[in-house]
Amino acid sequence: MTLLQKLALLGAVLAAVYQIAPGEPAWMTELHPPPSPGPYESLQFVGGDGVSKLSGRLHRPPQAENERDDAATLPVIVMVNGLGLTQDSNVTPYRHAFINAGFAVITFDFATFGYSDGWPRHQVKPQHHVADLKAVLRQLQTKSDQWTLDNNRVALWGTSMGGGHVLTVAADVAADELPIKAIVGNVPHVKSALESVVGTIRRDPLTGLTGLLQVTGALIKWAISQLMKGETTYIPLHGPPGSAAMMQNPADDEGYSRLILEETRDSGWTNLASVGSVVPTLFYRPYNNVGNIEIPTLLIVAENDTLCPASAARDAAKEITKARLVTLPGIGHFDVYNGEALHAILKETVAFLKEHV
Ligand SMILES: *[C@@H]1O[C@H](CO)[C@@H](O)[C@H](O)[C@H]1NC(C)=O
């Protein structure tokens, strides 16, 4: 074969992959208008890139509504979403428990999600999310008087990937820069998603490899699309095993769906993640730096978690000086948002936050 023939063959193969590989086009062209005012104060943050406007909300404890003068002493919990979720996703029971325990709660949407700007939509790059979280925390420090919050009594709560971001920020940020009193990693992402993919392939090789092939095809299609058209493509955030979805362990599809509400979709939310942000996610490993964490840390772990394995969080707990590890037996990653498990977790979490914040 001559070089020209080889190049023609390669071109034909890539064209074929482009045709059959998964990859959806972008679906949003402008931000949806924000919802009518709810039982919270709308906030706006500048994102970690220094430009994006992030949509945020401040929820105050019910009893504080009538006594604004005393509100300056309110401790505050910043809540950090899981991968692909928005402030309108169903982690509502946690928020309610925190405000009912007397904490103010700040929620926000990462850039490219929910009511925050940033294009193309739905980029899940961990380093960008960490930068957004740090930016939010810095603005909380400077605006706490205006918002009548106590900037010396701040805690971070993060679930799933958000739990990973909380660990990363706690490991990176000096106490004098951002006084954080406690952090909670709720079924946190600790080691790299690659390790979780390997686990999936071990448990069910055929389905696991099918999924891997689909995602690999999607990456090739994305690369071609970037090169030829400068456009990103999308794969599902969650889906059945063997699909092209980012999260595709047996319980992921149904479990993730339970976190999506009508309100989540009102912002234009669709079950898609920008393929270009998948690779950095695969290599994101908060575990590498957890040894630096000196802040009291609560890790809530689901024994049968296949997405963020319990063993990874247990390893992290050994590295963190002031770690408390709570393991919920017999449940999976998405079983921490309702039922008995939720009840037990809320009790542990609120007690921990009250003690340290
Ligand atoms: C959960 O994990 C434990 C320990 O690995 C195992 O003994 C148990 O059978 C698992 N339960 C379920 C429901 O998978």
Side-chain angles (χ1 to χ4, degrees):
M1 243 199 284
T2 67
L3 180 62
L4 207 60
Q5 282 169 327
K6 280 183 189 156
L7 285 176
L9 183 64
L10 179 66
V13 169
L14 289 179
V17 172
Y18 185 84
Q19 286 302 319
I20 59 172
E24 303 283 328
W27 74 103
M28 266 176 84
T29 52
E30 54 188 72
L31 288 186
H32 288 216
S36 45
Y40 51 77
E41 206 172 304
S42 294
L43 309 178
Q44 197 179 79
F45 298 99
V46 178
D49 60 2
V51 200
S52 301
K53 292 191 216 58
L54 306 187
S55 155
R57 294 174 194 160
L58 170 57
H59 299 258
R60 292 174 190 281
Q63 65 273 24
E65 287 299 326
N66 305 321
E67 342 166 345
R68 280 296 167 92
D69 295 346
D70 296 337
T73 57
L74 277 184
V76 53
I77 298 171
V78 177
M79 291 180 71
V80 189
N81 291 320
L83 189 130
L85 297 172
T86 75
Q87 29 180 2
D88 287 301
S89 315
N90 195 12
V91 297
T92 326
Y94 286 89
R95 194 181 71 229
H96 284 167
F98 298 156
I99 61 172
N100 287 331
F103 294 97
V105 165
I106 286 181
T107 62
F108 67 99
D109 288 332
F110 289 121
T112 81
F113 279 92
Y115 297 101
S116 292
D117 63 12
W119 305 87
R121 302 303 288 169
H122 283 201
Q123 296 179 53
V124 294
K125 287 187 185 138
Q127 296 312 335
H128 291 187
H129 289 191
V130 166
D132 282 347
L133 173 57
K134 285 183 184 165
V136 165
L137 293 171
R138 287 197 191 99
Q139 285 155 79
L140 167 60
Q141 286 301 311
T142 56
K143 293 196 177 156
S144 55
D145 281 351
Q146 180 189 330
W147 295 336
T148 61
L149 301 172
D150 186 344
N151 66 3
N152 267 310
R153 296 174 69 201
V154 177
L156 308 184
W157 177 92
T159 196
S160 193
M161 188 58 89
H165 298 335
V166 159
L167 292 172
T168 300
V169 168
D172 260 15
V173 171
D176 52 351
E177 192 196 344
L178 287 177
I180 299 167
K181 287 287 182 288
I183 62 167
V184 181
N186 200 51
V187 287
H189 168 90
V190 174
K191 294 192 181 172
S192 95
L194 270 183
E195 286 157 74
S196 154
V197 173
V198 170
T200 307
I201 292 172
R202 279 218 191 103
R203 277 189 300 273
D204 182 353
L206 186 63
T207 316
L209 287 170
T210 308
L212 190 62
L213 194 67
Q214 298 254 25
V215 174
T216 309
L219 279 169
I220 296 172
K221 178 168 182 147
W222 166 79
I224 298 172
S225 180
Q226 280 285 305
L227 220 64
M228 309 292 283
K229 302 194 271 182
E231 285 172 6
T232 193
T233 54
Y234 291 86
I235 54 173
L237 284 156
H238 64 94
S243 70
M246 282 191 86
M247 287 169 265
Q248 50 169 279
N249 286 293
D252 292 356
D253 201 21
E254 192 265 331
Y256 196 103
S257 301
R258 277 188 267 129
L259 298 177
I260 303 305
L261 304 171
E262 185 104 6
E263 296 94 288
T264 321
R265 294 189 183 275
D266 285 346
S267 70
W269 188 95
T270 298
N271 176 23
L272 290 174
S274 153
V275 177
S277 54
V278 169
V279 176
T281 307
L282 283 179
F283 295 97
Y284 179 50
R285 201 165 185 266
Y287 182 70
N288 295 354
N289 300 311
V290 293
N292 299 338
I293 299 177
E294 286 167 2
I295 301 165
T297 300
L298 173 65
L299 297 176
I300 302 281
V301 176
E303 184 185 28
N304 303 85
D305 194 326
T306 46
L307 197 58
C308 300
S311 57
R314 274 199 297 270
D315 290 348
K318 284 181 209 140
E319 301 286 323
I320 301 170
T321 337
K322 296 173 199 154
R324 172 165 164 67
L325 178 77
V326 174
T327 305
L328 282 297
I331 65 162
H333 188 74
F334 290 100
D335 299 329
V336 297
Y337 301 100
N338 49 35
E340 286 285 304
L342 173 67
H343 190 75
I345 294 168
L346 288 179
K347 211 168 146 215
E348 285 286 349
T349 306
V350 167
F352 178 84
L353 290 168
K354 281 196 158 167
E355 182 188 344
H356 293 284
V357 184

